[in-house]
Amino acid sequence: MIKYLVVCLIVCFTTVSVSFTQSTKKNDTADEIALPDVTTVVPGNTLQTGKDAVPDFSGVLPGKDTAAPVLPRLPDTKIDTSGTVTEDRTSGGGKKDIYAEGLIGGGYPGFFTGDFSLYRSQGNNPFLLKFGHESASGYSRESLSDGFFDTSTDISGEKTFTGDKTVLNLKAAYKRSEDGLQDNSPVFYDMTKQLLSGSGSADIKCTDNFNLSLTADSDFYNRYAGENGSDTVPEAEKGISVFYLNPSASGIWTKDGVTVILSGVYNLECNAGDDSAFTGYDGDLTELSLHRGQFGQKISWSNDVFSFYEAASAVVGTAIGSGSVIVPFTAGATAKVGNPGAVIVLSAEGGLSSGLESCRELEEKYKFTYLSFIPGETTDWYGIFSASVPVYGRFSAVSSVEYRKTAFSNGTWEPVYSGTSASGLYGFVQRDRTLLKTVESLSTTVKNISLTADWTAYWKDVPVLENEQTLGLSAGIQDAKADKGADTSVRFELGDDADNVPEIAVSGFCRLSPGLRLDLKAEDIIKLLSGESRTYAGKYITRSGSASVFLKFFF
């Protein structure tokens, strides 16, 4: 493990430091940047979309943020729309520039959470330090000692250095999660996953119209089981260790609304543990390492009304299917028409998408699973259309439709939550798919009251952990100063394997002072009162029914 961490750090810091030494920090009063409020959103049983929701061209098609003039970049944050703890951060004569923010809370059954941040948001050298921990045990009135628990802990740090023409960003993080196996395994009592990651990036402004971006990301992922039996099981079910390295480079030219991007990215995923853990998949994917390269271009043009873009790339590697090269491409357009305050937004795109999900991503996405191979490419023909339309000047209607069909037999990787292994865990298969997904929503705000209704449906294949149809209703109210408020929501799941009991949640908050807020929340109320379980997948259940209190603070 140590040798891989050393390689990780050397590559990251060498890549970014060579570029940064070309500039100096002569001007300490350069353009200031602002870190968004780091606000914790308490997790609940909300509907989430998987990787299939939208195509991912991030590896070869840098987004609009990378096409803009280079500015210091800080991590994304979650925004709590129910009203965050805020305070005038320029008070005290503007001398204070380091802030702390966090949340602590707990509740029934056996729930605790703590999330804390320390950061400097202004100047040329901002930083961010974060710590978070969350645990739940004994849900559905089951026993902690029988494995009905889950915990997660994460620590991260980020530092940005700003020179005359270069911005250097360094990140490091550690995450650990643990899931009890709920008395479903005769061999293991829990499953632990660890992730150690580091990254570095250098954004260089070469001319007024041309920017260069260099990045290097690396991860070390480790999964291992707590053993309570002597039964012999394959090494892959006991655990795996995988090392990742992903350097990339892109050049971005912009002028008169036109942006041209040339980019390249390399992916390495290799075994860093016992070689016997990787036995392959269906006689294939027996290699202990995966190599992938993607090189492409993107051209876009936009004005205040229309935007058009096209992109194409070439993908080569050791696990891209039967061919020697894949050529993903996309074309799309967006139009904004109408009067101010009543703008209709229409967008459409389509083409061939191709991407790679790592061992870590798949095992984190699907709990109680294991991989005994390094998964290969997933390729789809796809098309997406969406529309946002104001209705009677008071309502906002949003509609989208997405179609995907497997190309070149490079199907999607999904677990089979049936027929468990001897250890009680589930394996993966690669499946061809035909996906047709629609999402409809209608929302409005009347004074201090907000109302939303949404409907998600899968008309062909239904992804694992999703339902054929999901209906949601939500309402919120708060006073004009956002000092207090309340929210409620209900979600219905429809389908062959859906739980017919609706998920009902209520919450409320009260600001005790400018830097202190009290939150109360009850989730999945019917399950909370009845003590019944809610199925996660297969033989396993998930959190269901909770009542909690939280204290958010800022100083």
Side-chain angles (χ1 to χ4, degrees), residues 521-536:
K521 179 174 290 189
E523 297 182 300
D524 209 353
I525 294 176
I526 297 178
K527 298 286 189 180
L528 174 64
L529 298 177
S530 66
E532 296 180 355
S533 62
R534 189 172 292 277
T535 300
Y536 174 80

PDB file of all heavy atoms in Angstrom, residues 521-536:
ATOM      1  N   LYS A 521     -36.627  17.057  12.980  1.00  0.00           N
ATOM      2  CA  LYS A 521     -36.991  16.311  11.778  1.00  0.00           C
ATOM      3  C   LYS A 521     -37.506  14.926  12.154  1.00  0.00           C
ATOM      4  O   LYS A 521     -36.948  14.255  13.020  1.00  0.00           O
ATOM      5  CB  LYS A 521     -35.789  16.173  10.845  1.00  0.00           C
ATOM      6  CG  LYS A 521     -36.063  15.387   9.587  1.00  0.00           C
ATOM      7  CD  LYS A 521     -34.872  15.417   8.640  1.00  0.00           C
ATOM      8  CE  LYS A 521     -34.685  16.796   8.041  1.00  0.00           C
ATOM      9  NZ  LYS A 521     -33.659  16.793   6.960  1.00  0.00           N
ATOM     10  N   ALA A 522     -38.589  14.519  11.483  1.00  0.00           N
ATOM     11  CA  ALA A 522     -39.109  13.152  11.587  1.00  0.00           C
ATOM     12  C   ALA A 522     -39.249  12.617  10.165  1.00  0.00           C
ATOM     13  O   ALA A 522     -39.860  13.264   9.312  1.00  0.00           O
ATOM     14  CB  ALA A 522     -40.448  13.131  12.307  1.00  0.00           C
ATOM     15  N   GLU A 523     -38.690  11.429   9.901  1.00  0.00           N
ATOM     16  CA  GLU A 523     -38.687  10.863   8.561  1.00  0.00           C
ATOM     17  C   GLU A 523     -39.319   9.480   8.551  1.00  0.00           C
ATOM     18  O   GLU A 523     -39.230   8.736   9.530  1.00  0.00           O
ATOM     19  CB  GLU A 523     -37.252  10.783   8.017  1.00  0.00           C
ATOM     20  CG  GLU A 523     -36.600  12.148   7.851  1.00  0.00           C
ATOM     21  CD  GLU A 523     -35.203  12.046   7.272  1.00  0.00           C
ATOM     22  OE1 GLU A 523     -34.359  11.391   7.916  1.00  0.00           O
ATOM     23  OE2 GLU A 523     -34.966  12.591   6.190  1.00  0.00           O
ATOM     24  N   ASP A 524     -39.936   9.148   7.419  1.00  0.00           N
ATOM     25  CA  ASP A 524     -40.589   7.844   7.248  1.00  0.00           C
ATOM     26  C   ASP A 524     -41.466   7.554   8.454  1.00  0.00           C
ATOM     27  O   ASP A 524     -41.327   6.527   9.142  1.00  0.00           O
ATOM     28  CB  ASP A 524     -39.530   6.759   7.053  1.00  0.00           C
ATOM     29  CG  ASP A 524     -40.037   5.607   6.213  1.00  0.00           C
ATOM     30  OD1 ASP A 524     -41.251   5.590   5.905  1.00  0.00           O
ATOM     31  OD2 ASP A 524     -39.242   4.720   5.870  1.00  0.00           O
ATOM     32  N   ILE A 525     -42.433   8.435   8.681  1.00  0.00           N
ATOM     33  CA  ILE A 525     -43.186   8.436   9.942  1.00  0.00           C
ATOM     34  C   ILE A 525     -44.003   7.168  10.146  1.00  0.00           C
ATOM     35  O   ILE A 525     -44.095   6.646  11.269  1.00  0.00           O
ATOM     36  CB  ILE A 525     -44.083   9.691   9.997  1.00  0.00           C
ATOM     37  CG1 ILE A 525     -43.197  10.950  10.062  1.00  0.00           C
ATOM     38  CG2 ILE A 525     -45.015   9.638  11.193  1.00  0.00           C
ATOM     39  CD1 ILE A 525     -43.963  12.239  10.029  1.00  0.00           C
ATOM     40  N   ILE A 526     -44.599   6.635   9.091  1.00  0.00           N
ATOM     41  CA  ILE A 526     -45.411   5.420   9.252  1.00  0.00           C
ATOM     42  C   ILE A 526     -44.546   4.260   9.726  1.00  0.00           C
ATOM     43  O   ILE A 526     -44.918   3.503  10.639  1.00  0.00           O
ATOM     44  CB  ILE A 526     -46.130   5.078   7.940  1.00  0.00           C
ATOM     45  CG1 ILE A 526     -47.114   6.199   7.568  1.00  0.00           C
ATOM     46  CG2 ILE A 526     -46.869   3.746   8.063  1.00  0.00           C
ATOM     47  CD1 ILE A 526     -47.838   5.970   6.263  1.00  0.00           C
ATOM     48  N   LYS A 527     -43.352   4.114   9.132  1.00  0.00           N
ATOM     49  CA  LYS A 527     -42.433   3.065   9.559  1.00  0.00           C
ATOM     50  C   LYS A 527     -41.935   3.327  10.980  1.00  0.00           C
ATOM     51  O   LYS A 527     -41.697   2.395  11.750  1.00  0.00           O
ATOM     52  CB  LYS A 527     -41.246   2.979   8.605  1.00  0.00           C
ATOM     53  CG  LYS A 527     -41.603   2.612   7.170  1.00  0.00           C
ATOM     54  CD  LYS A 527     -41.968   1.157   7.031  1.00  0.00           C
ATOM     55  CE  LYS A 527     -42.102   0.779   5.561  1.00  0.00           C
ATOM     56  NZ  LYS A 527     -42.459  -0.641   5.367  1.00  0.00           N
ATOM     57  N   LEU A 528     -41.762   4.606  11.332  1.00  0.00           N
ATOM     58  CA  LEU A 528     -41.312   4.966  12.672  1.00  0.00           C
ATOM     59  C   LEU A 528     -42.320   4.497  13.713  1.00  0.00           C
ATOM     60  O   LEU A 528     -41.948   3.938  14.754  1.00  0.00           O
ATOM     61  CB  LEU A 528     -41.112   6.475  12.765  1.00  0.00           C
ATOM     62  CG  LEU A 528     -40.785   7.048  14.146  1.00  0.00           C
ATOM     63  CD1 LEU A 528     -39.443   6.530  14.637  1.00  0.00           C
ATOM     64  CD2 LEU A 528     -40.788   8.579  14.094  1.00  0.00           C
ATOM     65  N   LEU A 529     -43.608   4.697  13.444  1.00  0.00           N
ATOM     66  CA  LEU A 529     -44.641   4.337  14.409  1.00  0.00           C
ATOM     67  C   LEU A 529     -44.911   2.837  14.438  1.00  0.00           C
ATOM     68  O   LEU A 529     -45.200   2.276  15.499  1.00  0.00           O
ATOM     69  CB  LEU A 529     -45.933   5.096  14.078  1.00  0.00           C
ATOM     70  CG  LEU A 529     -45.851   6.627  14.147  1.00  0.00           C
ATOM     71  CD1 LEU A 529     -47.160   7.251  13.718  1.00  0.00           C
ATOM     72  CD2 LEU A 529     -45.470   7.082  15.554  1.00  0.00           C
ATOM     73  N   SER A 530     -44.800   2.184  13.282  1.00  0.00           N
ATOM     74  CA  SER A 530     -45.121   0.757  13.221  1.00  0.00           C
ATOM     75  C   SER A 530     -43.933  -0.135  13.545  1.00  0.00           C
ATOM     76  O   SER A 530     -44.114  -1.305  13.917  1.00  0.00           O
ATOM     77  CB  SER A 530     -45.642   0.400  11.827  1.00  0.00           C
ATOM     78  OG  SER A 530     -44.622   0.562  10.849  1.00  0.00           O
ATOM     79  N   GLY A 531     -42.708   0.401  13.370  1.00  0.00           N
ATOM     80  CA  GLY A 531     -41.513  -0.401  13.594  1.00  0.00           C
ATOM     81  C   GLY A 531     -41.200  -1.361  12.472  1.00  0.00           C
ATOM     82  O   GLY A 531     -40.300  -2.202  12.602  1.00  0.00           O
ATOM     83  N   GLU A 532     -41.907  -1.254  11.360  1.00  0.00           N
ATOM     84  CA  GLU A 532     -41.671  -2.140  10.229  1.00  0.00           C
ATOM     85  C   GLU A 532     -40.431  -1.688   9.457  1.00  0.00           C
ATOM     86  O   GLU A 532     -40.028  -0.526   9.501  1.00  0.00           O
ATOM     87  CB  GLU A 532     -42.886  -2.163   9.304  1.00  0.00           C
ATOM     88  CG  GLU A 532     -44.135  -2.749   9.956  1.00  0.00           C
ATOM     89  CD  GLU A 532     -45.312  -2.759   9.005  1.00  0.00           C
ATOM     90  OE1 GLU A 532     -45.165  -2.214   7.883  1.00  0.00           O
ATOM     91  OE2 GLU A 532     -46.371  -3.298   9.373  1.00  0.00           O
ATOM     92  N   SER A 533     -39.844  -2.622   8.717  1.00  0.00           N
ATOM     93  CA  SER A 533     -38.609  -2.338   7.985  1.00  0.00           C
ATOM     94  C   SER A 533     -38.912  -1.886   6.566  1.00  0.00           C
ATOM     95  O   SER A 533     -39.999  -2.100   6.036  1.00  0.00           O
ATOM     96  CB  SER A 533     -37.720  -3.578   7.955  1.00  0.00           C
ATOM     97  OG  SER A 533     -38.373  -4.639   7.268  1.00  0.00           O
ATOM     98  N   ARG A 534     -37.905  -1.264   5.952  1.00  0.00           N
ATOM     99  CA  ARG A 534     -37.978  -0.895   4.539  1.00  0.00           C
ATOM    100  C   ARG A 534     -36.807  -1.579   3.832  1.00  0.00           C
ATOM    101  O   ARG A 534     -35.657  -1.426   4.226  1.00  0.00           O
ATOM    102  CB  ARG A 534     -37.904   0.625   4.357  1.00  0.00           C
ATOM    103  CG  ARG A 534     -38.194   1.079   2.932  1.00  0.00           C
ATOM    104  CD  ARG A 534     -38.307   2.579   2.841  1.00  0.00           C
ATOM    105  NE  ARG A 534     -39.470   3.109   3.527  1.00  0.00           N
ATOM    106  CZ  ARG A 534     -40.697   3.162   3.011  1.00  0.00           C
ATOM    107  NH1 ARG A 534     -40.912   2.685   1.792  1.00  0.00           N
ATOM    108  NH2 ARG A 534     -41.695   3.679   3.699  1.00  0.00           N
ATOM    109  N   THR A 535     -37.106  -2.324   2.796  1.00  0.00           N
ATOM    110  CA  THR A 535     -36.098  -3.128   2.120  1.00  0.00           C
ATOM    111  C   THR A 535     -35.128  -2.249   1.339  1.00  0.00           C
ATOM    112  O   THR A 535     -35.552  -1.321   0.625  1.00  0.00           O
ATOM    113  CB  THR A 535     -36.758  -4.127   1.164  1.00  0.00           C
ATOM    114  OG1 THR A 535     -37.614  -4.991   1.916  1.00  0.00           O
ATOM    115  CG2 THR A 535     -35.720  -4.967   0.445  1.00  0.00           C
ATOM    116  N   TYR A 536     -33.834  -2.541   1.476  1.00  0.00           N
ATOM    117  CA  TYR A 536     -32.824  -1.904   0.637  1.00  0.00           C
ATOM    118  C   TYR A 536     -32.731  -2.665  -0.686  1.00  0.00           C
ATOM    119  O   TYR A 536     -32.992  -2.125  -1.754  1.00  0.00           O
ATOM    120  CB  TYR A 536     -31.471  -1.892   1.344  1.00  0.00           C
ATOM    121  CG  TYR A 536     -30.350  -1.366   0.478  1.00  0.00           C
ATOM    122  CD1 TYR A 536     -30.169   0.004   0.310  1.00  0.00           C
ATOM    123  CD2 TYR A 536     -29.486  -2.236  -0.184  1.00  0.00           C
ATOM    124  CE1 TYR A 536     -29.153   0.492  -0.494  1.00  0.00           C
ATOM    125  CE2 TYR A 536     -28.471  -1.759  -0.982  1.00  0.00           C
ATOM    126  CZ  TYR A 536     -28.310  -0.393  -1.142  1.00  0.00           C
ATOM    127  OH  TYR A 536     -27.304   0.089  -1.957  1.00  0.00           O
TER     128      TYR A 536
END
